[in-house]
Amino acid sequence: MKALVLTVLVCCICAPAPAFTEAPDAPLLQTGDVQGLVVTRTGHYDGSALFGYMDGGAELFREYGFVHLTAQEIRLDDQQLLVEIFRMRDSLAAFGIFSVSRAVCPGDDSSGRYWCHSSGEVQCAGGPFFIRIQTLTAGPGSEGLSAIVGRHLLRMISDRPADVPWACDEHAMPGWQRKAVLMYGPLGLQNGMPDWNDALEGGGYKSVTCVPWLLDGAPATVGWIQCASDKAAEALLERANARGKSMWRFYRRCNGAAILVIDADLPHPRLEELAETLLRK
């Protein structure tokens, strides 16, 4: 099985002027919120204004239900940071854009369920907000500053984390939600699970959740495809099988409109056993 690779394909530039003046409900930073923090610029963008702000990637955000963006430039301990607070349609959409945008993060961080701290950048999700904090200047301790700001913003958000669409109880693999990737459409698939593009090209699904797994020491990918209807699930599998040898080593229809997929280089009986465990209620 090919390794699950998550890439960040979104690069941002600041537009010269805000598209509107207010962003209700956004966790807005203020000078002095963190010791030494100074807000130097705040801009708000919604609708088509996102295309003027972002150098590529706006369509991906719109696929996940973009509502508005608050972008703030701040100074903290002589370092410059860019803080982007994306308001999505709901907490699940915020998690989804986080899951396909994050880089590979070393280990887990207790700052939040959905948190990624890579070199020079923090990405996190809380409630309906996806937050990205980039360090614009290099210097001693600069990477830690983005984490300080990110934790402060998460404390300002009271909504509970998203419940990710999935087949099983989360105790089946501790921490699976931190590692899950949620996709709604073709752009999400291209960023989150490009190897599944061909099988899902015809659409018919509402969401696709994939989780990297370790089964008997072998890498695996477990997917949960939620379709719009029983008929859509049947048509999706017919298209996938019509391409010849299925790329999915194991799949099972569940409750008519859902499909459980397990892709691992293991004997079929072992995959069947895992499926039974995941679907046990």
Side-chain angles (χ1 to χ4, degrees):
M1 183 198 72
K2 295 183 179 179
L4 178 63
V5 179
L6 305 179
T7 56
V8 179
L9 300 180
V10 181
C11 176
C12 297
I13 58 174
C14 292
F20 63 102
T21 57
E22 295 183 0
D25 302 326
L28 195 67
L29 289 171
Q30 303 289 345
T31 295
D33 277 358
V34 174
Q35 185 175 0
L37 185 150
V38 176
V39 177
T40 58
R41 180 185 177 277
T42 297
H44 303 289
Y45 308 86
D46 68 354
S48 60
L50 187 65
F51 291 94
Y53 175 82
M54 303 184 76
D55 184 16
E59 285 290 0
L60 175 65
F61 277 79
R62 290 169 67 88
E63 183 176 272
Y64 277 86
F66 168 76
V67 178
H68 68 244
L69 163 67
T70 298
Q72 295 189 283
E73 296 175 14
I74 65 172
R75 187 173 69 251
L76 181 59
D77 291 350
D78 297 324
Q79 303 293 330
Q80 301 292 325
L81 293 89
L82 173 63
V83 180
E84 297 168 311
I85 306 166
F86 294 87
R87 174 68 156 86
M88 309 302 289
R89 66 181 175 222
D90 54 31
S91 60
L92 193 58
F95 163 75
I97 195 68
F98 163 77
S99 73
V100 299
S101 300
R102 65 186 169 200
V104 177
C105 305
D108 289 330
D109 191 301
S110 60
S111 299
R113 178 182 290 180
Y114 308 129
W115 173 275
C116 174
H117 189 181
S118 56
S119 178
E121 184 174 85
V122 161
Q123 296 183 25
C124 55
F129 299 102
F130 166 63
I131 299 169
R132 181 167 56 200
I133 305 166
Q134 302 175 64
T135 304
L136 303 179
T137 53
S142 59
E143 290 190 10
L145 298 179
S146 57
I148 291 173
V149 175
R151 294 187 184 103
H152 175 76
L153 287 169
L154 285 180
R155 287 193 293 269
M156 298 171 67
I157 301 170
S158 58
D159 288 358
R160 66 189 299 273
D163 291 323
V164 183
W166 192 235
C168 63
D169 186 275
E170 67 177 283
H171 298 298
M173 186 181 76
W176 71 267
Q177 289 182 315
R178 291 179 180 271
K179 302 174 177 66
V181 183
L182 174 65
M183 297 149 287
Y184 286 137
L187 296 178
L189 279 169
Q190 290 171 19
N191 285 267
M193 199 65 185
D195 289 348
W196 287 24
N197 268 330
D198 289 345
L200 299 174
E201 185 178 6
Y205 55 89
K206 294 169 60 178
S207 66
V208 180
T209 304
C210 288
V211 180
W213 212 274
L214 197 63
L215 184 61
D216 297 344
T221 298
V222 179
W224 181 251
I225 304 171
Q226 186 65 53
C227 297
S229 64
D230 293 7
K231 186 176 180 180
E234 182 178 352
L236 189 156
L237 289 177
E238 286 179 355
R239 289 194 306 270
N241 291 331
R243 288 176 167 82
K245 183 180 179 180
S246 176
M247 61 163 290
W248 297 325
R249 299 175 189 271
F250 177 92
Y251 64 83
R252 176 186 289 182
R253 287 275 298 277
C254 309
N255 301 323
I259 303 169
L260 173 66
V261 176
I262 305 175
D263 186 18
D265 190 13
L266 291 168
H268 190 275
R270 185 66 182 98
L271 302 183
E272 179 80 24
E273 183 182 349
L274 175 60
E276 293 293 340
T277 299
L278 295 178
L279 296 172
R280 188 177 300 133
K281 300 298 183 183

